[in-house]
Amino acid sequence: MKNIHIKKFLMAAAVALPVATISGQASAITVTQDTVAANLVSALLAGTPGLTVTGSSLSSQTSGGAASSGTYTNGSGTYGIGSGIILSSGNVSAYGDGANTATGTTTNFGVSATASQEALLDPITGGSLNHNDVTHLDLTFDVGAGISRVFFNVVFGSEEYAEWVGSQYIDAFGIYLNGVNIATFAGNPVNIDHPNMAFIGGTELDGILDPTAGSGDPIMLFEGVVGAGSTGNTLTFIIADSGDDSLDSTVYIEGFGTANPGGGTTGGGQTQIPEPGALALFGLGLAGLGIVRRRRAA
């Protein structure tokens, strides 16, 4: 509780202070709020052959005029990533292009994660933290004969950086393909404690996970291996606040398809992913984690 009080005090003190950032590219991210799963899937798909989405669902947050999911276009290439979808633990409308004018941008929806969400988030935040303001997109898909790989480009950033690195506020992002998180880089999950987080200009986000260490665009390429011709593959994108519901983290995703969309630095996840039939056991495991998991006292 003490750290939460200190955090809220520092947020109030710093909200109007600009952040020193590395000069970015010309900015052109334009965000449109959207809470319809099918619309997000349409914006995410790269149009490459051999992949068919057969179902989708979205769990996102709304409050007043704020929404935690949407689509974006990026005509001039902020962060170098193409147009796609945006998911956040805050209001996606706060993360279009522009100068970084505050160190404490936050939308506090105040919604706790479900037990199944906690089971997905715990492995990527390093422990049994409380998670809040979760946004996650689920979809199922089939691939054609001879197709065995799927790809995504991702840019992850957070307002938790750099003040809350090493604390319990480990905001994080995961991509679960057939029950396995493929969103790792240099052996580490995608969260604010990643050693490649850095100040990079372009949006309101204070820190961006830069796989190039300053030598190129901060895009992570994630690749998953599926069974050739397999059906009923499952995919979950999930992002959340950890430890409290303050300070947003946000992810931009583009190029879901069967070909490398280009521009990204290869991350993890290039190992054989379990076949969809193995997911029954995985689901039982998640249920068990949800039952036995003990939350921290508020």
Side-chain angles (χ1 to χ4, degrees):
M1 288 296 294
K2 181 178 180 181
N3 279 350
I4 292 176
H5 292 152
I6 294 172
K7 183 179 183 184
K8 291 183 182 296
F9 172 79
L10 292 176
M11 284 169 54
V15 69
L17 296 177
V19 178
T21 60
I22 300 170
S23 177
Q25 298 184 19
S27 298
I29 292 180
T30 301
V31 173
T32 301
Q33 294 180 359
D34 200 318
T35 58
V36 178
N39 294 345
L40 268 61
V41 170
S42 294
L44 179 63
L45 287 171
T48 52
L51 187 150
T52 303
V53 174
T54 58
S56 60
S57 63
L58 174 69
S59 176
S60 60
Q61 310 298 331
T62 58
S63 179
S68 68
S69 61
T71 64
Y72 70 92
T73 57
N74 192 14
S76 295
T78 299
Y79 304 138
I81 194 165
S83 300
I85 68 170
I86 178 172
L87 308 177
S88 182
S89 62
N91 182 12
V92 292
S93 294
Y95 300 103
D97 62 73
N100 191 334
T101 60
T103 61
T105 303
T106 188
T107 299
N108 301 54
F109 294 106
V111 179
S112 298
T114 65
S116 60
Q117 289 171 337
E118 293 282 8
L120 293 171
L121 290 162
D122 274 347
I124 59 178
T125 57
S128 297
L129 299 172
N130 286 337
H131 300 97
N132 300 281
D133 295 355
V134 180
T135 298
H136 84 259
L137 175 66
D138 293 316
L139 54 90
T140 56
F141 67 94
D142 303 338
V143 295
I147 300 296
S148 61
R149 294 176 183 271
V150 293
F151 299 84
F152 324 85
N153 271 346
V154 170
V155 171
F156 169 82
S158 182
E159 289 291 275
E160 299 280 4
Y161 187 81
E163 298 90 337
W164 302 103
V165 169
S167 72
Q168 71 264 42
Y169 308 115
I170 312 171
D171 291 12
F173 169 71
I175 303 173
Y176 281 87
L177 175 60
N178 290 338
V180 177
N181 178 35
I182 63 170
T184 63
F185 181 76
N188 296 308
V190 176
N191 61 44
I192 70 149
D193 282 351
H194 198 286
N196 282 74
M197 289 291 290
F199 291 110
I200 299 177
T203 71
E204 190 63 60
L205 290 166
D206 291 351
I208 300 294
L209 202 165
D210 180 9
T212 74
S215 64
D217 291 321
I219 303 171
M220 293 174 286
L221 170 68
F222 296 121
E223 176 182 351
V225 180
V226 296
S230 58
T231 61
N233 294 286
T234 63
L235 183 66
T236 293
F237 300 97
I238 187 166
I239 190 168
D241 288 332
S242 296
D244 65 3
D245 62 352
S246 298
L247 298 181
D248 306 337
S249 291
T250 299
V251 65
Y252 307 86
I253 313 167
E254 64 122 355
F256 174 39
T258 59
N260 185 335
T265 299
T266 301
Q270 298 177 74
T271 55
Q272 181 67 42
I273 301 302
E275 292 292 327
L279 291 179
L281 291 176
F282 175 72
L284 290 174
L286 290 185
L289 283 173
I291 292 171
V292 304
R293 186 180 185 281
R294 181 166 57 90
R295 289 175 173 268
R296 290 191 308 121

